[in-house]
Amino acid sequence: MLTNFRRPRTERMRGGGAYVEQRTNSWAALVGFLLGRGYSAPAIAEALADGTSDATVRKMAQRWGLPAWGRKADGFIVIPMKLRDRATIASRAAQEGLGQEEYCRQFLVAGARERGTFRSVVKEGLDL
């Protein structure tokens, strides 16, 4: 699922071999980054693939004081896009009197309701 992320080293010898640090700062940074992107705790635990449980991820987020992402039934979609496309969306949203997120949410939900909507909006061969 998250194959495009480089997994950080999670063990490092400290103090000339006096002890082994189990969780490095890069590991914690990756967890924080994925939490900020809206990934669920089970998805983060699966991406780490080092035996970390989803309960550990949730507890870390709570201890760090990170905001909880909505209700358990909520989901988040993170879409990378060009700055120009984002500016276009911002201007269209402002014309409708909506924020960018709400404009995109309404557009995606309305476009996904009927099967033929995608082809009527997105032209064949259009390079986005």
Side-chain angles (χ1 to χ4, degrees):
M1 179 175 82
L2 299 174
T3 56
N4 57 347
F5 291 107
R6 185 184 146 284
R7 291 189 187 108
R9 256 178 59 193
T10 58
E11 293 183 355
R12 179 171 41 203
M13 296 298 288
R14 291 293 194 161
Y19 68 95
V20 177
E21 181 182 11
Q22 295 295 322
R23 305 288 188 223
T24 61
N25 286 340
S26 60
W27 179 87
L30 178 63
V31 171
F33 172 75
L34 294 175
L35 283 168
R37 299 265 314 208
Y39 286 96
S40 67
I44 294 171
E46 180 184 323
L48 292 172
D50 63 356
T52 304
S53 69
D54 53 334
T56 301
V57 174
R58 280 191 298 275
K59 188 66 173 178
M60 289 172 62
Q62 180 186 17
R63 285 187 179 164
W64 292 342
L66 297 176
W69 285 102
R71 298 179 301 274
K72 289 187 179 188
D74 288 347
F76 296 89
I77 300 174
V78 179
I79 305 168
M81 64 176 51
K82 297 175 184 166
L83 192 58
R84 182 176 180 163
D85 295 335
R86 191 172 169 99
T88 302
I89 289 172
S91 66
R92 296 289 183 264
Q95 289 171 0
E96 297 295 328
L98 299 170
Q100 291 181 44
E101 292 83 7
E102 181 60 20
Y103 177 82
C104 290
R105 188 191 70 77
Q106 287 184 16
F107 201 84
L108 287 171
V109 170
R113 283 208 174 110
E114 294 191 29
R115 189 174 183 150
T117 307
F118 180 78
R119 288 289 165 228
S120 67
V121 175
V122 178
K123 304 300 180 217
E124 197 68 38
L126 181 64
D127 184 28
L128 299 175

